[in-house]
Amino acid sequence: MNTPTLWLIRHGETDWSISGQHTGRTDIPLTENGREQARALKSRLAGQAFDQVLCSPLQRARETCELSGFGAQAQMEPDLMEWDYGVYEGRTSAEILKAEPDWSLWTSEVEGGENAKQVRERVGRLLDRLLAQQGTIALFAHGHILRSLISMWMSNDVRLGENILLDTASVSVLGFQRKVRVLHKLNT
């Protein structure tokens, strides 16, 4: 059975990742520290050949991909864009919970944005395409969409992503062991 191995690379630090603001479709750049994190990925990924490199079109992911040395190989993939947080864009979880104590991105409706069911459909569509391929594929993207992808890989339920955290400029690896989908590395 020929199957893909997926390397999930979260973008480097941004001003909003520092402040904890939900950064969905707002196209903000990396901080200087985020650029250093992205450059450091170059040595961490040295020697790893990718058959394909897919990247979110948002600049924080593109810049991370470029600074880590894979920009020339990258193809933009709209399904890797971060969740659309709608009315929650730019707000912290603490601010949202103050107004809506039972709120959770993973279970609540998102006015003007995407809910978990819609993200599940989007990530499922992407996974179907990826599973039809072979080789090693790098995916440069964002925290919540990568958490969603990991949870869909593991359980076919996007809501498991609530129990996963990914640091900025982290690397996680999904693959197979005896035809079973497994998580090889998380948040390294």
Side-chain angles (χ1 to χ4, degrees):
M1 175 167 104
N2 292 319
T3 56
T5 300
L6 307 179
W7 285 59
L8 314 181
I9 300 122
R10 183 176 177 208
H11 64 75
E13 176 190 272
T14 67
D15 284 335
W16 284 14
S17 67
I18 295 169
S19 66
Q21 291 169 265
H22 285 81
T23 318
R25 304 298 169 90
T26 302
D27 203 10
I28 63 174
L30 299 176
T31 61
E32 190 49 48
N33 184 55
R35 288 181 192 94
E36 286 301 317
Q37 290 176 323
R39 284 189 276 274
L41 283 168
K42 195 172 198 170
S43 63
R44 290 172 51 203
L45 298 172
Q48 177 58 53
F50 293 112
D51 298 296
Q52 186 175 18
V53 176
L54 300 176
C55 185
S56 163
L58 296 170
Q59 70 174 311
R60 57 195 184 271
R62 285 192 336 262
E63 192 174 6
T64 299
C65 182
E66 290 164 10
L67 292 172
S68 65
F70 296 95
Q73 193 179 350
Q75 300 169 0
M76 294 305 111
E77 174 53 65
D79 282 340
L80 283 174
M81 287 186 65
E82 183 60 291
W83 279 56
D84 183 343
Y85 298 125
V87 298
Y88 302 112
E89 183 77 9
R91 297 174 64 194
T92 66
S93 292
E95 291 170 339
I96 298 165
L97 289 169
K98 198 176 286 185
E100 300 175 51
D102 295 327
W103 176 82
S104 166
L105 177 66
W106 306 95
T107 57
S108 301
E109 287 301 312
V110 180
E111 184 184 334
E114 291 178 294
N115 62 29
K117 181 181 179 205
Q118 292 166 315
V119 170
R120 183 188 187 284
E121 290 170 7
R122 179 160 58 100
V123 170
R125 182 175 62 231
L126 175 62
L127 277 176
D128 286 345
R129 289 195 320 267
L130 294 172
L131 286 166
Q133 299 179 42
Q134 308 177 36
T136 304
I137 304 168
L139 306 172
F140 285 83
H142 316 276
H144 279 109
I145 201 67
L146 291 176
R147 291 165 65 182
S148 300
L149 200 147
I150 292 167
S151 64
M152 289 287 292
W153 184 267
M154 302 297 294
S155 72
N156 209 32
D157 183 354
V158 74
R159 294 172 300 167
L160 176 64
E162 184 171 28
N163 303 102
I164 300 168
L165 284 179
L166 295 178
D167 295 330
T168 54
S170 64
V171 177
S172 300
V173 180
L174 305 175
F176 286 85
Q177 182 180 32
R178 289 183 244 122
K179 299 183 183 181
V180 175
R181 293 182 194 182
V182 296
L183 175 62
H184 286 288
K185 295 180 185 179
L186 179 67
N187 212 29
T188 60

